[in-house]
C-alpha cells in the first residue's frame, strides 16, 4: 500500500507541473513510518526527546490537600456572611509538616503555603485578609473568603493510575519537571533519528577552501545542520558532493546505509549538470515533483536502498531560502513523524500586512516577515526586503513566515495575512 507508485497514482489527477502543497505534504506524511527502537534515559538526558510509552502516574500530585497561601486554615462552616469571626489558633503547620489532630468548631491553624490541610479544614484565609492576629487568636472579617478557597486538592495536577504524558510527546522543560514531580527517574524515549545530508554542485566550496572563480560557499549544509539539530536529530554531515555520477552514487549509498533519512540540496531542477536526479532514480523509488510553491518548486521524495539498507530521501532544491522553506513545510513534519512524535500543528496567526504583497493564485507562497505588535495592539507584519529564493538575508532578518495560500491573490496594505512564527518561548 505504501509504495510510492501507489502514492503517485493518488496525485495523477493533478497537474504534474503544479502539485498543490497540501497534497505533497499529505503524500509524504502517508509514506513515512516511525522508528521503533526505544532507549531508557535518565530524566535530564530526555530533554527534547520523544516519549515512547504513555507515562502513567504512580502517585497523586499533589499527594495531599494543601494550602495555596500563607494564612489560617479553618472550617468553612465557621465563617459568617455578615459578622466578623474570631477563631482560636490551635497550632502552626509548616510546609513538610503536619497537624495530627482534628480541628474543632471555632478553631483554626496557622498554615504556610504547601503545608498539608489539617483534618476538618477546607478553607484558608490569607494572612493579609485577617485582623488582630496574635499567637492565640485571629479575626476574619465577613466576606474575606468563601468556604473551599485557597485549598489545593490532592491529585488536582496529576492522578495516580492515569496517563500523565502520552507517547509521542516531545519532552520540554515543563515535562521534565512534571515527570520529576512523579518521582520518575528514567523515561523510555525513541532512539534519535539519524539524518545524513550533503550538498551537490560543482560550484560549491566548503568553508576553509579558497573561493575559486565562479564558485560560492556552501551555506545549505549549515542551515540544514541548524534545522536538524533543533529538531533533535542525530546528523551526519557528508560535505559537498560534485555533480559526478560516481561521486553521487557513493554518497547516496553511504548515506542510506547509515541513516534513516537522507537530505540533499541542489540538483533537482532542470539544469544540464543535474545528475543527482538520475542517481536518485537509480537507487530507489523516487518521485520528482514540481510543487505549486514559491520558493522551492522542484523537490524529490522517496526511498532509496543500498546493500539491504534503505532510507527516506528528501531531495531539496538548491537555492538557500528554498531549502529552508522546503525543509520546514515538507521535511519537518515527516521527520517528526519518523521520530515517533505527535507534532501539534504549528500556530498560525493572523497579522495585518503593512504593505501590499503581489501574489498569483494557484501556488502557495512563503514570504519572510517581521511580526510585531502594532500601535493598536494588533499583530502586524512587514516583509523582510527582497524575497529572492537565493537571498538568505530575508530569512535571517525574519521572525516569521507569511503564508499566502494557494487560492489567495494579491494582498492589500491593511489586509490580514497568515503568519507562522519561527520561535516560541520554549
Ligand atoms: P540547483 O538546484 O543545483 O540548480 O541550484 C540552484 C541554485 O542554488 C544555484 O544558484 C546554486 O548555486 C545554489 N546552491 C545550490 N546548492 C547550494 C548550497 N549548498 N549553498 C548555497 N547555494 C547553493
Ligand atoms: Mg546544482
Amino acid at each position: 500500500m505504501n509504495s510510492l507508485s501507489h502514492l503517485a497514482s493518488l496525485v495523477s489527477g493533478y497537474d504534474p507541473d503544479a502539485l498543490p502543497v497540501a497534497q505533497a505534504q499529505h503524500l509524504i506524511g502517508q509514506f513515512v513510518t516511525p522508528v521503533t527502537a526505544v532507549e531508557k534515559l535518565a530524566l535530564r538526558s530526555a530533554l527534547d526527546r520523544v516519549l515512547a510509552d504513555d507515562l502513567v502516574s504512580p502517585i497523586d500530585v499533589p499527594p495531599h490537600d494543601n494550602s495555596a497561601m500563607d494564612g489560617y486554615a479553618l472550617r468553612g462552616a465557621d465563617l459568617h456572611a455578615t459578622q466578623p469571626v474570631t477563631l482560636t489558633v490551635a497550632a502552626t503547620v509548616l510546609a513538610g509538616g503536619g497537624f495530627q489532630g482534628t480541628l474543632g468548631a471555632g478553631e483554626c491553624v496557622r498554615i504556610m503555603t504547601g503545608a498539608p490541610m489539617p483534618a476538618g479544614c477546607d478553607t484558608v484565609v490569607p494572612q493579609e485578609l485577617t485582623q488582630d492576629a496574635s499567637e492565640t487568636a485571629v479575626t476574619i472579617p465577613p466576606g474575606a473568603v468563601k468556604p473551599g478557597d485557597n485549598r489545593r486538592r490532592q491529585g488536582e495536577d496529576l492522578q495516580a493510575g492515569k496517563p500523565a504524558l502520552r507517547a509521542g510527546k516531545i519532552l520540554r522543560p515543563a515535562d521534565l519537571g512534571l515527570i520529576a514531580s512523579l518521582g520518575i527517574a528514567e523515561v523510555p524515549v525513541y532512539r534519535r533519528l539519524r539524518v545524513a545530508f550533503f550538498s551537490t554542485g560543482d560550484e560549491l566550496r566548503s568553508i576553509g577552501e579558497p573561493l575559486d572563480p565562479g564558485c560560492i560557499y556552501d551555506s545549505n549544509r549549515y542551515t540544514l545542520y541548524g534545522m536538524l539539530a533543533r529538531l533533535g536529530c542525530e546528523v551526519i554531515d557528508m560535505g559537498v558532493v560534485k555533480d559526478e555520477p560516481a561521486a553521487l552514487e557513493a554518497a547516496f549509498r553511504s548515506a542510506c546505509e547509515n541513516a534513516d533519512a537522507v537530505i540533499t540540496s541542489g540538483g533537482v531542477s532542470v539544469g544540464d549538470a543535474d545528475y543527482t536526479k538520475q542517481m536518485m532514480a537509480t537507487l530507489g523509488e523516487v518521485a520528482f515533483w514540481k510543487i505549486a510553491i514559491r520558493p522551492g518548486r522542484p523537490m524529490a521524495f522517496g526511498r532509496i536502498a543500498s546493500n539491504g539498507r534503505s532510507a527516506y530521501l528528501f531531495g531539496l532544491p538548491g537555492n538557500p531560502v528554498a531549502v529552508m522553506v522546503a525543509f520546514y513545510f515538507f521535511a519537518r513534519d515527516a521527520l517528526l513523524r519518523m521520530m515517533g512524535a505527535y507534532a501539534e500543528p504549528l500556530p498560525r496567526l493572523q497579522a495585518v500586512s503593512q504593505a501590499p504583497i503581489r501574489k498569483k493564485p494557484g501556488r502557495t507562497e512563503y514570504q519572510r516577515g517581521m511580526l510585531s505588535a502594532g500601535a493598536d495592539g494588533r499583530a502586524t507584519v512587514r516583509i523582510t526586503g527582497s524575497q529572492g529564493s537565493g537571498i538568505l538575508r530575508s530569512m535571517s532578518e525574519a521572525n516569521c513566515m507569511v503564508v499566502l495560500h494557494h487560492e489567495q491573490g494579491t494582498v492589500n496594505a491593511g489586509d490580514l495575512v497568515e503568519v507562522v512564527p519561527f520561535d516560541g518561548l520554549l
Side-chain angles (χ1 to χ4, degrees):
M1 266 318 262
N2 257 359
S3 87
L4 201 60
S5 44
H6 168 72
L7 292 179
S9 71
L10 300 177
V11 295
S12 57
Y14 289 97
D15 178 357
D17 279 335
L19 179 63
V21 166
Q23 198 65 28
Q25 287 168 332
H26 179 71
L27 289 174
I28 294 171
Q30 284 205 311
F31 196 61
V32 300
T33 50
V35 296
T36 51
V38 172
E39 55 183 326
K40 285 257 194 180
L41 289 186
L43 185 50
R44 284 193 188 94
S45 310
L47 181 64
D48 291 335
R49 299 291 297 268
V50 181
L51 189 63
D53 284 319
D54 286 355
L55 212 66
V56 175
S57 181
I59 54 171
D60 282 333
V61 178
H64 44 256
D65 287 7
N66 69 94
S67 174
M69 299 293 246
D70 292 339
Y72 295 85
L74 50 85
R75 299 149 36 115
D78 284 346
L79 293 168
H80 198 284
T82 52
Q83 307 273 314
V85 180
T86 298
L87 302 173
T88 310
V89 179
T92 296
V93 230
L94 305 178
F99 177 72
Q100 299 319 319
T102 300
L103 225 57
E107 289 185 329
C108 69
V109 162
R110 182 155 160 69
I111 197 165
M112 301 304 148
T113 304
M117 290 290 279
C121 296
D122 56 10
T123 306
V124 173
V125 56
Q127 184 146 346
E128 55 274 24
L129 299 183
T130 62
Q131 287 168 355
D132 305 327
S134 73
E135 293 284 294
T136 53
V138 65
T139 299
I140 296 136
V145 280
K146 298 187 299 302
D149 277 0
N150 303 312
R151 170 184 47 167
R152 302 169 177 157
R153 303 303 297 259
Q154 173 173 350
E156 73 175 17
D157 188 355
L158 303 165
Q159 283 124 54
K162 298 222 176 115
L165 293 172
R166 294 281 183 189
K169 180 99 171 66
I170 299 178
L171 300 174
R172 302 300 187 200
D175 303 312
L176 293 198
L178 190 149
I179 296 168
S181 78
L182 299 174
I184 296 174
E186 269 195 343
V187 283
V189 297
Y190 288 113
R191 73 161 172 84
R192 254 186 225 282
L193 194 71
R194 271 192 298 280
V195 182
F197 59 97
F198 55 88
S199 298
T200 68
D202 288 342
E203 78 281 25
L204 301 177
R205 292 292 174 270
S206 292
I207 301 173
E209 292 175 353
L211 201 55
D212 299 321
C215 291
I216 57 172
Y217 283 119
D218 172 10
S219 58
N220 290 344
R221 263 164 56 224
Y222 291 85
T223 43
L224 279 172
Y225 164 81
M227 294 187 291
L228 288 165
R230 278 276 180 95
L231 216 50
C233 298
E234 195 180 303
V235 295
I236 307 175
D237 181 343
M238 296 178 59
V240 171
V241 178
K242 294 259 187 265
D243 286 319
E244 289 162 9
L248 282 166
E249 177 168 355
F252 275 116
R253 285 189 182 281
S254 164
C256 79
E257 285 170 25
N258 290 293
D260 304 299
V262 180
I263 299 184
T264 62
S265 71
V268 288
S269 49
V270 277
D272 279 344
D274 292 336
Y275 298 112
T276 324
K277 277 162 88 167
Q278 270 166 265
M279 196 49 63
M280 290 176 182
T282 311
L283 289 174
E285 211 187 355
V286 180
F288 297 93
W289 288 329
K290 288 194 188 104
I291 301 172
I293 189 176
R294 192 155 112 160
R297 189 158 174 260
M299 197 179 102
F301 172 71
R303 198 166 167 84
I304 55 172
S306 174
N307 286 323
R309 307 287 300 268
S310 69
Y312 294 103
L313 172 73
F314 297 86
L316 307 186
N319 275 306
V321 180
V323 165
M324 297 192 77
V325 167
F327 181 93
Y328 284 135
F329 294 95
F330 296 111
R332 180 182 175 276
D333 270 7
L335 293 171
L336 283 168
R337 190 167 141 68
M338 292 170 71
M339 289 161 64
Y342 65 75
E344 301 294 345
L346 293 170
R348 288 168 182 265
L349 316 175
Q350 298 286 317
V352 177
S353 181
Q354 290 181 10
I357 309 173
R358 281 179 52 199
K359 159 76 169 62
K360 274 201 271 185
R363 68 182 181 210
T364 306
E365 286 194 18
Y366 295 90
Q367 301 219 355
R368 282 72 72 199
M370 190 68 189
L371 181 68
S372 57
D376 60 359
R378 288 206 297 167
T380 150
V381 67
R382 116 183 121 68
I383 299 300
T384 53
S386 175
Q387 297 287 297
S389 64
I391 300 179
L392 207 45
R393 183 156 52 94
S394 67
M395 200 74 199
S396 166
E397 289 176 357
N399 67 1
C400 70
M401 279 294 178
V402 178
V403 185
L404 304 173
H405 289 276
H406 192 83
E407 301 304 342
Q408 197 168 352
T410 287
V411 173
N412 298 312
D415 285 356
L416 285 174
V417 288
E418 188 179 286
V419 299
V420 179
F422 285 163
D423 281 315
L425 191 57
L426 297 182

